[in-house]
mmCIF file of all heavy atoms in Angstrom:
data_model
loop_
_atom_site.group_PDB
_atom_site.id
_atom_site.type_symbol
_atom_site.label_atom_id
_atom_site.label_comp_id
_atom_site.label_asym_id
_atom_site.label_seq_id
_atom_site.Cartn_x
_atom_site.Cartn_y
_atom_site.Cartn_z
ATOM 1 N N ASP H 255 -32.285 23.785 -7.363
ATOM 2 C CA ASP H 255 -32.403 25.164 -7.838
ATOM 3 C C ASP H 255 -32.718 25.230 -9.336
ATOM 4 O O ASP H 255 -31.979 24.671 -10.161
ATOM 5 C CB ASP H 255 -31.094 25.922 -7.581
ATOM 6 C CG ASP H 255 -30.809 26.078 -6.083
ATOM 7 O OD1 ASP H 255 -31.624 25.613 -5.269
ATOM 8 O OD2 ASP H 255 -29.771 26.675 -5.756
ATOM 9 N N PRO H 256 -33.801 25.923 -9.699
ATOM 10 C CA PRO H 256 -34.109 26.064 -11.119
ATOM 11 C C PRO H 256 -33.444 27.298 -11.722
ATOM 12 O O PRO H 256 -33.311 28.332 -11.057
ATOM 13 C CB PRO H 256 -35.635 26.251 -11.127
ATOM 14 C CG PRO H 256 -35.926 26.923 -9.822
ATOM 15 C CD PRO H 256 -34.861 26.473 -8.837
ATOM 16 N N ALA H 257 -33.051 27.193 -12.986
ATOM 17 C CA ALA H 257 -32.713 28.380 -13.775
ATOM 18 C C ALA H 257 -33.906 28.589 -14.697
ATOM 19 O O ALA H 257 -34.199 27.741 -15.557
ATOM 20 C CB ALA H 257 -31.457 28.144 -14.591
ATOM 21 N N ILE H 258 -34.635 29.681 -14.490
ATOM 22 C CA ILE H 258 -35.827 29.945 -15.305
ATOM 23 C C ILE H 258 -35.414 30.877 -16.442
ATOM 24 O O ILE H 258 -34.926 31.992 -16.192
ATOM 25 C CB ILE H 258 -36.936 30.586 -14.444
ATOM 26 C CG1 ILE H 258 -37.291 29.636 -13.289
ATOM 27 C CG2 ILE H 258 -38.160 30.930 -15.284
ATOM 28 C CD1 ILE H 258 -38.317 30.193 -12.309
ATOM 29 N N THR H 285 -26.099 24.563 -3.991
ATOM 30 C CA THR H 285 -26.667 25.661 -4.778
ATOM 31 C C THR H 285 -26.475 25.484 -6.287
ATOM 32 O O THR H 285 -26.684 26.437 -7.037
ATOM 33 C CB THR H 285 -26.019 26.994 -4.377
ATOM 34 O OG1 THR H 285 -24.606 26.798 -4.396
ATOM 35 C CG2 THR H 285 -26.446 27.467 -3.015
ATOM 36 N N LEU H 405 -34.173 26.317 -1.919
ATOM 37 C CA LEU H 405 -32.898 26.970 -1.595
ATOM 38 C C LEU H 405 -32.757 28.258 -2.408
ATOM 39 O O LEU H 405 -32.907 29.351 -1.892
ATOM 40 C CB LEU H 405 -31.741 25.994 -1.857
ATOM 41 C CG LEU H 405 -30.381 26.411 -1.312
ATOM 42 C CD1 LEU H 405 -30.407 26.676 0.176
ATOM 43 C CD2 LEU H 405 -29.326 25.349 -1.626
ATOM 44 N N GLN H 406 -32.470 28.133 -3.699
ATOM 45 C CA GLN H 406 -32.308 29.324 -4.536
ATOM 46 C C GLN H 406 -32.966 29.083 -5.887
ATOM 47 O O GLN H 406 -33.365 27.963 -6.222
ATOM 48 C CB GLN H 406 -30.825 29.620 -4.751
ATOM 49 C CG GLN H 406 -30.075 29.963 -3.478
ATOM 50 C CD GLN H 406 -28.895 30.887 -3.727
ATOM 51 O OE1 GLN H 406 -28.443 31.093 -4.859
ATOM 52 N NE2 GLN H 406 -28.373 31.481 -2.656
ATOM 53 N N ALA H 407 -33.049 30.169 -6.670
ATOM 54 C CA ALA H 407 -33.501 30.072 -8.064
ATOM 55 C C ALA H 407 -32.783 31.158 -8.837
ATOM 56 O O ALA H 407 -32.304 32.139 -8.249
ATOM 57 C CB ALA H 407 -35.011 30.270 -8.158
ATOM 58 N N ALA H 408 -32.692 30.969 -10.154
ATOM 59 C CA ALA H 408 -32.153 32.013 -11.019
ATOM 60 C C ALA H 408 -33.195 32.327 -12.087
ATOM 61 O O ALA H 408 -33.928 31.431 -12.527
ATOM 62 C CB ALA H 408 -30.859 31.540 -11.677
ATOM 63 N N ILE H 409 -33.273 33.609 -12.454
ATOM 64 C CA ILE H 409 -34.178 34.003 -13.542
ATOM 65 C C ILE H 409 -33.328 34.716 -14.583
ATOM 66 O O ILE H 409 -32.563 35.637 -14.239
ATOM 67 C CB ILE H 409 -35.261 34.984 -13.052
ATOM 68 C CG1 ILE H 409 -36.063 34.365 -11.903
ATOM 69 C CG2 ILE H 409 -36.195 35.398 -14.190
ATOM 70 C CD1 ILE H 409 -36.982 35.363 -11.214
ATOM 71 N N PHE H 410 -33.459 34.302 -15.841
ATOM 72 C CA PHE H 410 -32.713 34.957 -16.906
ATOM 73 C C PHE H 410 -33.705 35.651 -17.844
ATOM 74 O O PHE H 410 -34.563 35.011 -18.448
ATOM 75 C CB PHE H 410 -31.865 33.941 -17.672
ATOM 76 C CG PHE H 410 -30.745 33.376 -16.830
ATOM 77 C CD1 PHE H 410 -30.926 32.204 -16.110
ATOM 78 C CD2 PHE H 410 -29.527 34.045 -16.727
ATOM 79 C CE1 PHE H 410 -29.901 31.694 -15.314
ATOM 80 C CE2 PHE H 410 -28.498 33.550 -15.928
ATOM 81 C CZ PHE H 410 -28.685 32.376 -15.223
ATOM 82 N N ALA H 417 -38.640 39.902 -14.261
ATOM 83 C CA ALA H 417 -37.705 39.315 -13.296
ATOM 84 C C ALA H 417 -38.196 39.539 -11.873
ATOM 85 O O ALA H 417 -38.280 38.595 -11.074
ATOM 86 C CB ALA H 417 -36.319 39.933 -13.472
ATOM 87 N N ALA H 421 -39.597 36.811 -9.294
ATOM 88 C CA ALA H 421 -38.751 36.618 -8.098
ATOM 89 C C ALA H 421 -39.586 36.671 -6.822
ATOM 90 O O ALA H 421 -39.401 35.879 -5.900
ATOM 91 C CB ALA H 421 -37.643 37.667 -8.050
ATOM 92 N N LEU H 424 -41.364 33.285 -6.158
ATOM 93 C CA LEU H 424 -40.633 32.008 -6.019
ATOM 94 C C LEU H 424 -40.398 31.689 -4.543
ATOM 95 O O LEU H 424 -40.001 32.565 -3.772
ATOM 96 C CB LEU H 424 -39.307 32.074 -6.780
ATOM 97 C CG LEU H 424 -39.445 32.122 -8.297
ATOM 98 C CD1 LEU H 424 -38.081 32.284 -8.965
ATOM 99 C CD2 LEU H 424 -40.148 30.869 -8.836
ATOM 100 N N THR H 426 -38.184 30.417 -2.391
ATOM 101 C CA THR H 426 -36.789 30.037 -2.134
ATOM 102 C C THR H 426 -36.167 31.046 -1.180
ATOM 103 O O THR H 426 -36.723 32.126 -0.958
ATOM 104 C CB THR H 426 -35.950 30.054 -3.441
ATOM 105 O OG1 THR H 426 -35.950 31.386 -3.961
ATOM 106 C CG2 THR H 426 -36.474 29.093 -4.472
ATOM 107 N N THR H 428 -33.302 32.627 -1.780
ATOM 108 C CA THR H 428 -32.728 33.706 -2.598
ATOM 109 C C THR H 428 -33.101 33.481 -4.058
ATOM 110 O O THR H 428 -33.215 32.336 -4.502
ATOM 111 C CB THR H 428 -31.175 33.680 -2.484
ATOM 112 O OG1 THR H 428 -30.807 33.798 -1.118
ATOM 113 C CG2 THR H 428 -30.522 34.804 -3.275
ATOM 114 N N VAL H 429 -33.275 34.581 -4.780
ATOM 115 C CA VAL H 429 -33.461 34.506 -6.236
ATOM 116 C C VAL H 429 -32.371 35.365 -6.886
ATOM 117 O O VAL H 429 -32.177 36.519 -6.510
ATOM 118 C CB VAL H 429 -34.851 35.040 -6.654
ATOM 119 C CG1 VAL H 429 -35.002 34.989 -8.174
ATOM 120 C CG2 VAL H 429 -35.967 34.258 -5.979
ATOM 121 N N ASN H 430 -31.638 34.798 -7.813
ATOM 122 C CA ASN H 430 -30.581 35.525 -8.523
ATOM 123 C C ASN H 430 -31.105 35.936 -9.891
ATOM 124 O O ASN H 430 -31.567 35.081 -10.650
ATOM 125 C CB ASN H 430 -29.365 34.622 -8.725
ATOM 126 C CG ASN H 430 -28.768 34.195 -7.408
ATOM 127 O OD1 ASN H 430 -27.898 34.860 -6.870
ATOM 128 N ND2 ASN H 430 -29.256 33.088 -6.866
ATOM 129 N N ILE H 431 -31.028 37.220 -10.183
ATOM 130 C CA ILE H 431 -31.500 37.672 -11.486
ATOM 131 C C ILE H 431 -30.303 37.809 -12.411
ATOM 132 O O ILE H 431 -29.338 38.520 -12.107
ATOM 133 C CB ILE H 431 -32.289 38.986 -11.341
ATOM 134 C CG1 ILE H 431 -33.553 38.691 -10.526
ATOM 135 C CG2 ILE H 431 -32.642 39.575 -12.720
ATOM 136 C CD1 ILE H 431 -34.348 39.884 -10.112
ATOM 137 N N ASN H 432 -30.360 37.075 -13.518
ATOM 138 C CA ASN H 432 -29.300 37.076 -14.532
ATOM 139 C C ASN H 432 -27.944 36.649 -14.008
ATOM 140 O O ASN H 432 -26.908 37.188 -14.406
ATOM 141 C CB ASN H 432 -29.207 38.437 -15.233
ATOM 142 C CG ASN H 432 -30.409 38.655 -16.143
ATOM 143 O OD1 ASN H 432 -30.913 37.698 -16.753
ATOM 144 N ND2 ASN H 432 -30.890 39.876 -16.225
ATOM 145 N N ASP H 433 -27.942 35.701 -13.093
ATOM 146 C CA ASP H 433 -26.691 35.012 -12.753
ATOM 147 C C ASP H 433 -27.023 33.646 -12.171
ATOM 148 O O ASP H 433 -28.181 33.374 -11.826
ATOM 149 C CB ASP H 433 -25.852 35.825 -11.759
ATOM 150 C CG ASP H 433 -24.364 35.423 -11.832
ATOM 151 O OD1 ASP H 433 -24.027 34.508 -12.619
ATOM 152 O OD2 ASP H 433 -23.551 36.020 -11.119
ATOM 153 N N GLN H 434 -25.989 32.841 -12.048
ATOM 154 C CA GLN H 434 -26.181 31.495 -11.509
ATOM 155 C C GLN H 434 -26.592 31.566 -10.035
ATOM 156 O O GLN H 434 -26.390 32.585 -9.377
ATOM 157 C CB GLN H 434 -24.874 30.710 -11.620
ATOM 158 C CG GLN H 434 -23.778 31.308 -10.745
ATOM 159 C CD GLN H 434 -22.544 30.429 -10.673
ATOM 160 O OE1 GLN H 434 -21.582 30.627 -11.400
ATOM 161 N NE2 GLN H 434 -22.564 29.466 -9.776
ATOM 162 N N THR H 435 -27.143 30.469 -9.539
ATOM 163 C CA THR H 435 -27.434 30.359 -8.106
ATOM 164 C C THR H 435 -26.119 30.149 -7.372
ATOM 165 O O THR H 435 -25.239 29.441 -7.848
ATOM 166 C CB THR H 435 -28.373 29.166 -7.874
ATOM 167 O OG1 THR H 435 -27.901 28.048 -8.653
ATOM 168 C CG2 THR H 435 -29.782 29.486 -8.316
ATOM 169 N N GLN H 436 -25.977 30.805 -6.231
ATOM 170 C CA GLN H 436 -24.737 30.669 -5.456
ATOM 171 C C GLN H 436 -24.927 31.272 -4.076
ATOM 172 O O GLN H 436 -25.704 32.199 -3.891
ATOM 173 C CB GLN H 436 -23.572 31.378 -6.160
ATOM 174 C CG GLN H 436 -23.810 32.858 -6.406
ATOM 175 C CD GLN H 436 -22.858 33.456 -7.433
ATOM 176 O OE1 GLN H 436 -21.711 33.071 -7.481
ATOM 177 N NE2 GLN H 436 -23.352 34.374 -8.247
ATOM 178 N N ARG H 437 -24.160 30.738 -3.131
ATOM 179 C CA ARG H 437 -24.260 31.201 -1.744
ATOM 180 C C ARG H 437 -23.623 32.570 -1.588
ATOM 181 O O ARG H 437 -24.108 33.428 -0.886
ATOM 182 C CB ARG H 437 -23.567 30.175 -0.843
ATOM 183 C CG ARG H 437 -23.390 30.562 0.595
ATOM 184 C CD ARG H 437 -23.015 29.323 1.388
ATOM 185 N NE ARG H 437 -21.945 28.584 0.745
ATOM 186 C CZ ARG H 437 -20.700 28.473 1.230
ATOM 187 N NH1 ARG H 437 -20.380 29.025 2.367
ATOM 188 N NH2 ARG H 437 -19.788 27.784 0.585
ATOM 189 N N GLY H 438 -22.462 32.740 -2.227
ATOM 190 C CA GLY H 438 -21.666 33.941 -1.987
ATOM 191 C C GLY H 438 -22.228 35.171 -2.658
ATOM 192 O O GLY H 438 -23.173 35.074 -3.433
ATOM 193 N N PRO H 439 -21.642 36.360 -2.395
ATOM 194 C CA PRO H 439 -20.570 36.588 -1.437
ATOM 195 C C PRO H 439 -20.974 36.128 -0.033
ATOM 196 O O PRO H 439 -22.157 36.174 0.319
ATOM 197 C CB PRO H 439 -20.385 38.101 -1.466
ATOM 198 C CG PRO H 439 -21.040 38.574 -2.714
ATOM 199 C CD PRO H 439 -22.090 37.592 -3.048
ATOM 200 N N PHE H 442 -23.581 37.693 2.385
ATOM 201 C CA PHE H 442 -25.021 37.730 2.113
ATOM 202 C C PHE H 442 -25.731 36.717 3.025
ATOM 203 O O PHE H 442 -25.206 35.622 3.246
ATOM 204 C CB PHE H 442 -25.310 37.339 0.658
ATOM 205 C CG PHE H 442 -25.005 38.392 -0.377
ATOM 206 C CD1 PHE H 442 -24.382 39.588 -0.046
ATOM 207 C CD2 PHE H 442 -25.341 38.188 -1.707
ATOM 208 C CE1 PHE H 442 -24.095 40.550 -1.005
ATOM 209 C CE2 PHE H 442 -25.071 39.147 -2.684
ATOM 210 C CZ PHE H 442 -24.445 40.327 -2.327
#
Side-chain angles (χ1 to χ4, degrees):
D255 295 359
I258 301 176
T285 50
L405 192 56
Q406 296 209 346
I409 303 170
F410 292 93
L424 291 176
T426 62
T428 303
V429 178
N430 298 270
I431 295 172
N432 289 325
D433 203 358
Q434 65 171 96
T435 44
Q436 58 196 324
R437 172 166 48 111
F442 284 6

